Amino acid sequence: MTRTPIPFSRPRPGEQPPYLYEPYASTIKRAPRRTPVPVQQTLSEVTGPSFPAGWVGAPTTDLTRPGKGEALGQRIIVAGRLLDEDGKPISGSLVEVWQCNAAGRYLHDGDVHDAPIDPNFTGYGRALTDGQGEYRFLTIKPGAYPWRNTHNAWRPAHIHFSLFGNAFATRLITQMYFPGDPLLATDPIFNSVSDEAARRGLICDYDAGLSEAEYALGYRFDIVLRGRASTPMGQ
């Protein structure tokens, strides 16, 4: 007997960024010019992937010590839960992060920002969520950096997240921001999400209980995949 897949709930208007948001200049060139064609969800979209036997490689949850030396900058702990649209934890799912260093520079040939490269910081980590959907990384707070969207534009400090969830249709790439950052008010990527509550969902919360005394500040960032109250996708 073939079971008809239950479709995911659709987010309300404004909870996800539009394909075209003119203040974010690059969307003008890459946004589709025709109405997207809806694709019916089948078992291929609402099931998988799985990550058994550690084939994605060993977890790299400490970004501060990729080698012999220690990365420069303010140590932070970033932790949270991966949830489905009903608030249930998603266990055994791959969470990947990448970010610039404390000076605002990525370890990438395409980054020409005149800021120092930290030889002890790659800016990449990965982990599998535990039975309660929890993940945890120790890293360095990223710096702001300039970009050429407009004259004198700077990106607020952020960490990129890549998440798979428990179905291919829940695949999500997003960005996590920090509370109190003055650059959020003028950042077009952050502000492309018009719903205020959804936009706030991109900002982590300071968590004193997660912090480690005299060592690292703690920030909590829970992520909801697909459907109601889903975390906005990063552009």
Side-chain angles (χ1 to χ4, degrees), residues 84-184:
D84 68 14
E85 62 180 337
D86 296 316
K88 297 178 181 178
I90 301 173
S91 62
S93 186
L94 179 64
V95 179
E96 296 174 286
V97 295
W98 66 96
Q99 62 171 95
C100 65
N101 65 22
R105 187 166 180 179
Y106 290 94
L107 187 63
H108 189 281
D109 292 340
D111 190 340
V112 295
H113 175 32
D114 185 18
I117 291 176
D118 187 343
N120 295 312
F121 190 72
T122 64
Y124 171 76
R126 65 173 175 263
L128 293 178
T129 55
D130 66 14
Q132 299 302 314
E134 295 269 0
Y135 70 87
R136 183 183 186 277
F137 293 98
L138 175 64
T139 185
I140 297 297
K141 188 173 183 180
Y145 59 81
W147 64 316
R148 298 174 181 175
N149 187 67
T150 57
H151 174 68
N152 197 27
W154 288 74
R155 294 278 354 258
H158 61 279
I159 297 176
H160 298 268
F161 276 75
S162 167
L163 310 115
F164 277 95
N166 53 11
F168 284 104
T170 63
R171 176 85 165 98
L172 174 69
I173 295 177
T174 192
Q175 299 182 30
M176 183 200 85
Y177 300 93
F178 292 85
D181 193 327
L183 293 175
L184 290 175

Side-chain angles (χ1 to χ4, degrees), residues 5-228:
I6 299 175
F8 293 99
S9 302
R10 292 186 177 275
R12 292 186 296 269
E15 290 185 337
Q16 293 293 332
Y19 294 116
L20 175 61
Y21 185 68
E22 291 189 355
Y24 183 14
S26 66
T27 66
I28 298 174
K29 294 183 178 180
R30 71 170 186 248
R33 298 182 181 274
R34 299 180 181 180
T35 303
V37 177
V39 177
Q40 295 297 320
Q41 294 170 359
T42 67
L43 287 177
S44 297
E45 288 77 46
V46 300
T47 58
S50 61
F51 304 95
W55 65 264
V56 296
T60 52
T61 56
D62 185 353
L63 282 69
T64 67
R65 294 179 179 274
K68 296 181 179 180
E70 184 173 8
L72 298 174
Q74 181 186 46
R75 287 184 293 263
I76 61 172
I77 297 166
V78 178
R81 290 204 302 164
L82 192 59
L83 306 168
D84 68 14
E85 62 180 337
D86 296 316
K88 297 178 181 178
I90 301 173
S91 62
S93 186
L94 179 64
V95 179
E96 296 174 286
V97 295
W98 66 96
Q99 62 171 95
C100 65
N101 65 22
R105 187 166 180 179
Y106 290 94
L107 187 63
H108 189 281
D109 292 340
D111 190 340
V112 295
H113 175 32
D114 185 18
I117 291 176
D118 187 343
N120 295 312
F121 190 72
T122 64
Y124 171 76
R126 65 173 175 263
L128 293 178
T129 55
D130 66 14
Q132 299 302 314
E134 295 269 0
Y135 70 87
R136 183 183 186 277
F137 293 98
L138 175 64
T139 185
I140 297 297
K141 188 173 183 180
Y145 59 81
W147 64 316
R148 298 174 181 175
N149 187 67
T150 57
H151 174 68
N152 197 27
W154 288 74
R155 294 278 354 258
H158 61 279
I159 297 176
H160 298 268
F161 276 75
S162 167
L163 310 115
F164 277 95
N166 53 11
F168 284 104
T170 63
R171 176 85 165 98
L172 174 69
I173 295 177
T174 192
Q175 299 182 30
M176 183 200 85
Y177 300 93
F178 292 85
D181 193 327
L183 293 175
L184 290 175
T186 57
D187 185 66
I189 299 180
F190 175 72
N191 288 290
S192 65
V193 180
S194 60
D195 185 272
E196 183 178 357
R199 202 164 55 244
R200 285 200 305 269
L202 293 170
I203 303 174
C204 62
D205 294 313
Y206 169 68
D207 187 339
L210 188 61
S211 300
E212 295 186 8
E214 301 182 30
Y215 186 71
L217 294 176
Y219 293 93
R220 184 161 295 278
F221 186 57
D222 293 339
I223 303 166
V224 180
L225 298 183
R226 203 60 189 259
R228 300 181 299 276

